[in-house]
Amino acid sequence: MKKRGVINQQLSNALAGLGHGDYFLLCDAGFPIPKEAERVDLALTFGIPNMDQCLKAILDEIVVQKVTIAEEMKDLNDEGYQFIKRVFKNQKLCETSQEELVKLANNAKFIVRSGELRCYSNILLEAASGVDIFKNDFIIDPAQI
């Protein structure tokens, strides 16, 4: 058994299978996940786990070089938007329409569904090899999640 990190077998396997430049989506509870997509469903109930909790667990496992969010997040989910900006200081942060993000999800390697209810809490994450410039130097206090 693992000593730490992601213990959800499906998520652990999916993250371990990422290569440089592969991307996947971490989405909220209401995202329209395509039928063909590999779905890693972490949602237990509405709000649990939330985006912040899922992101913390994922970023403990992988390095991300690029992040894409819906531009609607900025106006309709400022709390989530500010969190993303604090977490991804070293990564390229792109904004696109929610409509385009839904289209991009069709080619994602997999989609991780959280129980998040804040609107537009959908993040496309592009993996990087273990390059130091992309490593996150943040700590999410579990008491704040």
Side-chain angles (χ1 to χ4, degrees), residues 56 83 138-145:
K56 165 74 169 101
F83 178 76
F138 70 95
I139 297 174
I140 300 173
D141 180 358
Q144 294 179 350
I145 296 178

Side-chain angles (χ1 to χ4, degrees), residues 37-52:
E38 178 184 347
R39 175 194 294 236
V40 178
D41 199 337
L42 301 180
L44 179 62
T45 187
F46 292 120
I48 301 173
N50 65 32
M51 176 186 71
D52 303 2

